[in-house]
Amino acid sequence: MTSEPALPAQSGGVPDLAALTRVVARQRAELDRLQDLAATSAVVERAKGAVMAQLGCSPDAAQEELLRRAKSARRTLLEECWILLGALAPAPRTDPEPTAPDASTWAVVPAPAVGESAADVLGGLGRALVRVGTPHELARCLLDRLAPDVGADAVLIYARLPAGGLELVGHAGLDDTLAAQWSRVPPLGGIAALDVLDTGEPRWLEDPRADAKRYLLIGDPPERWGSRAWLPVATGDTADVALGVLRRREGVFPPDVRDRLLAVARLCAGPLRAFAARRTPTAGAAADAVQTVFDRLPVAAVLLAPLRSPSGSVEDFRIDAATGLTSDTVGRSGRELVGLRLLECRPEIADEPLWQGCLDTLSGEGPYEGEPFARQQVVAGVSELATYSARAARLGDGLVVSWVRHDPSDRQEQRLADVQRLGNLGWATWNLVTGEANWSTQVFTIFERDPAHGVVPLARFPRLALPEDVPVLVRAVGELVRGGQPCDVPFRIVTRDGIRHLRVVAEAVADVDGAPVEVHGFVQDLTAQRSAELALVASERAILTQHGVLQAERTVAARLQDALLPLPKQPVRLAGLRVDIAYLPAQSGLSVGGDWFSAIELPDGDALFVVGDVAGHGIGAVASMALLRFTAKGMIITGSSLTGALTRLNALLLHSRDPHGSATMVLARYSPAERLLKWAQAGHPPPLLVRGGAARCLDRPTGVLLGATDTPRYEEAELRLEPGDRLLLYTDGLVERPAESIDRGLERLARVAAHRGTAGRAPLDRLLGTMLDPEGRDDVCVLDIRVPLER
């Protein structure tokens, strides 16, 4: 378009109306020419699209075909295009003159009927495409025409960006959220639409599970679309638009459907080429000028252009210029960001106050300046946390957003304050010449002193301590002021929370003559540390005291046990039996336990064998052991039966000084005349009989733990011993091991006892050496009873 100024007829005169009329006429003619050119271009592009759909040819071949037809019929190219489109279009309207198509014109084209042929479908689609004006209208038109024919549920149109990615320029059948998520696709591998444009070949995705291993599928979840077709659309020399047809149902695309969809893609080339011709550039001369300035700015800043939805609301911003210090989440910076969307580069901004600040600034509420925030960044290869403030201001119809980094001195001051607070210390200075003094905020906090009252002079500083600590502090301050001697003195003060333990460390700065002129140092609160030290000392003293008490108790208990339970050094002969006895404490240094035994010959010549185990350790266990041991022997000597003795011992333990005490026991009485062994037990492991090279545990008669109930029941069992028999009575320490059932211990005991072992070694020593757990977790008491062989 050209224009020329309207000059006055003479200086100071009125404008020449004839000249103004000529200018207006020239401009109107230029406008009509441009409108005719735009209309001609749109008609030619649509006619080329119709020829491509009919013949299945390329855009260039369609252009040549139209020129050939026009030359053959002696028509102009425009006349040939109108004739071709007139044959596709429906009957003319009765409107006085044609009107420009609007967003709803294409919607009145009827959908294909059931059983309509492929040619009819393409013909109807070609007539409908004449009336579409935007990529979104094209997507909606395709969905309406393809839904009943091929089962399409969504249509997507992606255009390749100059940077290599994809932009969703049109869609139908997708919700707004999913469309926003997939509005921009970066140039990554595994994108079917990009693969189609790179290879120029269609992609038929008919198995979501298999396709998901190769491509990143659109959808939430991806299985929402059971099959997909991605088709290349060549609007120029190469394919730069990808057409996606998505179906909810799974299954293959039959050959006829594939051919139809490829024809539809060729038919869409004309409208898409026309849309591209009308597309406005993303950045104009103003953006180029701003970018030139931004290239030289040592700050992080961007020039943003608002992107609005059909309703007029801002849904994103386009980056028209960016400084070199501006980067996004994937590392792109500077000019690499130009043309991209703000939320694509920095998605987190949508949840930050900066987003609303940009919207408010754009609506005319004035510049926005946000609160400082921290962000991790890499400087010279080192990651550090920096503090920024974001600002936004209008520039024409767009925004300039910048991020200002705070001065490093501010951060150093904040770090120093944090160190003082976390270490509970503060610095202090006193000028000995001028009398000026300064304390940090933390020193006032430590002394609980109001800053309005000022700093305490150095001469009066020792008076802040407790009276008993004042002399030491006075002497240290005097040596510091007079002789310049550094000091490091602990002292105490009284506060609202009680006594605090402090420490002052200070040194003097001297002049050229060596005289102190200034004192600087720090005061630290050591109350928590000192309290921990005192608690530790008290705990150590308590542990030493308790250790002494326990050691004395162990000594008394051990001596008492030795006195009450003497261990014979040689085998004992009772009623014609040989009895070996072993008693082993659990571990050296632990409290003595309650395992015990008794092996005596009764007045009538029978032998009594008892093995018991009292729960617990220490003096209490030894006392209970002595009570049961002597009482059991007394009852049997005075004529009580084995079960009667156990019943009375149970009652005795229930009414003893420890009502919660318990014990296990096995009682056995052997008559040599009959070689008959009668025995009873109270919750104790069964005796082990070794006969003829085989070992087995005796079946236990009924008997409950002593001290468990006031209505116990005990029964006796009998066993006739034979010459060469071996009988083992033992406590559970012999067969129990951690994390192992007692049944496995009993099996191990039977296996070891039946094995004869090395000749010359005592059988009981051999058995104990094999059975005992090296960790020695419990006491062990064993009676090894042998019946001699007959001669």
Side-chain angles (χ1 to χ4, degrees), residues 389-405:
S389 291
R391 299 173 181 175
R394 287 200 64 166
L395 180 63
D397 294 333
L399 293 176
V400 174
V401 178
S402 61
W403 291 267
V404 180
R405 184 176 179 179

Side-chain angles (χ1 to χ4, degrees), residues 639-783:
S640 294
S641 64
L642 299 180
T643 56
L646 289 176
T647 302
R648 293 180 179 86
L649 290 174
N650 179 77
L652 180 65
L653 198 58
L654 283 174
H655 296 87
S656 65
R657 60 184 180 87
D658 184 7
H660 301 292
S662 62
T664 66
M665 183 184 300
V666 59
L667 288 171
R669 183 166 185 160
Y670 175 71
S671 299
E674 303 173 350
R675 292 186 185 147
L676 182 64
L677 180 76
K678 295 182 179 180
W679 66 286
Q681 61 87 29
H684 201 82
L688 181 77
L689 175 65
V690 181
R691 175 178 292 171
R696 65 179 179 88
C697 291
L698 301 181
D699 295 333
R700 294 197 308 173
T702 302
V704 299
L705 188 76
L706 296 178
T709 176
D710 56 359
T711 58
R713 180 185 170 205
Y714 300 102
E715 295 179 353
E716 286 186 1
E718 294 183 355
L719 173 67
R720 194 171 301 278
L721 298 179
E722 298 178 1
D725 283 353
R726 181 184 182 190
L727 189 70
L728 292 177
L729 305 181
Y730 52 91
T731 55
D732 56 6
L734 184 65
V735 294
E736 285 187 341
R737 288 188 181 180
E740 181 181 87
S741 68
I742 193 172
D743 292 336
R744 294 193 61 182
L746 293 174
E747 293 173 0
R748 183 170 53 254
L749 176 61
R751 185 170 58 254
V752 173
H755 183 64
R756 295 184 180 275
T758 304
R761 188 179 179 190
L764 184 55
D765 293 341
R766 183 172 63 249
L767 182 139
L768 293 175
T770 306
M771 287 295 300
L772 292 183
D773 187 351
E775 298 183 2
R777 295 182 176 272
D778 200 358
D779 304 325
V780 175
C781 182
V782 181
L783 295 184

Side-chain angles (χ1 to χ4, degrees), residues 187-275:
L188 303 175
I191 304 296
L194 277 172
D195 191 15
V196 164
L197 297 184
D198 291 339
T199 61
E201 299 293 334
R203 292 290 180 266
W204 311 98
L205 309 184
E206 299 161 334
D207 185 351
R209 285 169 291 278
D211 298 331
K213 299 178 181 178
R214 181 180 179 188
Y215 295 112
L216 181 63
L217 301 181
I218 296 175
D220 186 17
E223 295 78 8
R224 174 182 178 184
W225 313 104
S227 55
R228 309 152 191 258
W230 287 100
L231 314 166
V233 180
T235 60
D237 295 336
T238 59
D240 54 3
V241 176
L243 175 64
V245 178
L246 280 59
R247 303 189 304 182
R248 287 192 172 87
R249 71 169 186 262
E250 295 187 10
V252 300
F253 291 90
D256 59 327
V257 173
R258 292 190 177 190
D259 293 340
R260 196 172 310 169
L261 289 177
L262 291 174
V264 168
R266 291 191 294 268
L267 189 62
C268 294
L272 288 171
R273 189 181 299 108
F275 301 152

Side-chain angles (χ1 to χ4, degrees), residues 567-574 577-582 597 599 609 762-765 782-786:
L567 186 65
K569 298 181 180 180
Q570 299 293 331
V572 178
R573 299 285 180 174
L574 295 175
L577 301 175
R578 172 191 168 108
V579 183
D580 286 294
I581 302 172
F597 69 91
F609 303 105
L764 184 55
D765 293 341
V782 181
L783 295 184
D784 187 357
I785 304 170
R786 289 177 175 271

Side-chain angles (χ1 to χ4, degrees), residues 24 43 57 65 212 279 577 719 761 788:
V24 171
V43 171
C57 60
E65 175 66 17
R279 189 176 303 166
L577 301 175
L719 173 67
R761 188 179 179 190

Side-chain angles (χ1 to χ4, degrees), residues 111-435:
V114 177
E116 195 173 7
S117 66
D120 294 336
V121 172
L122 293 177
L125 179 60
R127 290 189 294 271
L129 293 183
V130 173
R131 303 181 183 276
V132 300
T134 67
H136 282 294
E137 294 177 11
L138 174 60
R140 172 54 62 185
C141 178
L142 292 176
L143 181 61
D144 287 348
R145 304 300 302 186
L146 297 178
D149 186 37
V150 300
D153 295 296
V155 173
L156 292 83
I157 302 174
Y158 274 106
R160 190 195 294 270
L161 294 172
L166 297 177
E167 181 181 9
L168 184 63
V169 296
H171 65 86
L174 293 183
D175 56 76
D176 294 338
T177 301
L178 187 59
Q181 292 173 350
W182 288 86
S183 62
R184 285 290 183 106
V185 178
L188 303 175
I191 304 296
L194 277 172
D195 191 15
V196 164
L197 297 184
D198 291 339
T199 61
E201 299 293 334
R203 292 290 180 266
W204 311 98
L205 309 184
E206 299 161 334
D207 185 351
R209 285 169 291 278
D211 298 331
K213 299 178 181 178
R214 181 180 179 188
Y215 295 112
L216 181 63
L217 301 181
I218 296 175
D220 186 17
E223 295 78 8
R224 174 182 178 184
W225 313 104
S227 55
R228 309 152 191 258
W230 287 100
L231 314 166
V233 180
T235 60
D237 295 336
T238 59
D240 54 3
V241 176
L243 175 64
V245 178
L246 280 59
R247 303 189 304 182
R248 287 192 172 87
R249 71 169 186 262
E250 295 187 10
V252 300
F253 291 90
D256 59 327
V257 173
R258 292 190 177 190
D259 293 340
R260 196 172 310 169
L261 289 177
L262 291 174
V264 168
R266 291 191 294 268
L267 189 62
C268 294
L272 288 171
R273 189 181 299 108
F275 301 152
R278 294 196 300 268
R279 189 176 303 166
T280 58
T282 59
D288 294 337
V290 173
Q291 182 62 59
T292 303
V293 176
F294 274 16
D295 288 339
R296 294 166 175 79
L297 290 180
V299 297
V302 291
L303 174 64
L304 303 178
L307 300 177
R308 301 182 182 273
S309 65
S311 63
S313 61
V314 177
E315 58 184 9
D316 204 345
F317 291 91
R318 185 185 64 242
I319 300 176
D320 285 348
T323 63
L325 294 181
T326 307
S327 61
D328 66 356
T329 54
V330 297
R332 293 172 293 191
S333 62
R335 288 178 175 266
E336 295 177 337
L337 302 175
V338 175
L340 303 180
R341 297 193 178 196
L342 179 62
L343 295 182
E344 174 189 347
C345 300
R346 289 284 182 184
E348 71 276 6
I349 288 181
D351 300 323
E352 296 177 357
L354 175 59
W355 178 261
Q356 187 60 43
C358 290
L359 298 181
D360 295 341
T361 302
L362 195 63
S363 63
E365 294 189 11
Y368 164 80
E369 184 165 355
E371 296 293 330
F373 62 92
R375 174 173 293 173
Q376 198 78 22
Q377 67 175 15
V378 178
V379 179
V382 179
S383 179
E384 66 174 19
L385 195 64
T387 303
Y388 290 87
S389 291
R391 299 173 181 175
R394 287 200 64 166
L395 180 63
D397 294 333
L399 293 176
V400 174
V401 178
S402 61
W403 291 267
V404 180
R405 184 176 179 179
H406 288 192
D407 194 318
S409 62
D410 298 338
R411 298 200 308 275
Q412 293 294 342
E413 184 175 344
Q414 182 61 43
R415 290 172 181 171
L416 180 59
D418 292 341
V419 168
Q420 294 185 73
R421 176 179 52 83
L422 296 175
N424 206 1
L425 57 84
W427 55 263
T429 61
W430 290 274
N431 192 307
L432 304 180
V433 178
T434 63

Side-chain angles (χ1 to χ4, degrees), residues 16 27 99 119 176 219 228 241 262 314 354 422 424 434 441 457 461 479 483 491 518 574 606 633 638 661 687 693 695:
D16 188 349
Q27 291 179 341
T99 58
D176 294 338
R228 309 152 191 258
V241 176
L262 291 174
V314 177
L354 175 59
L422 296 175
N424 206 1
T434 63
T441 304
F461 184 79
E479 293 176 352
F491 63 100
E518 187 176 79
L574 295 175
D606 290 355
K633 291 194 298 183
T638 56

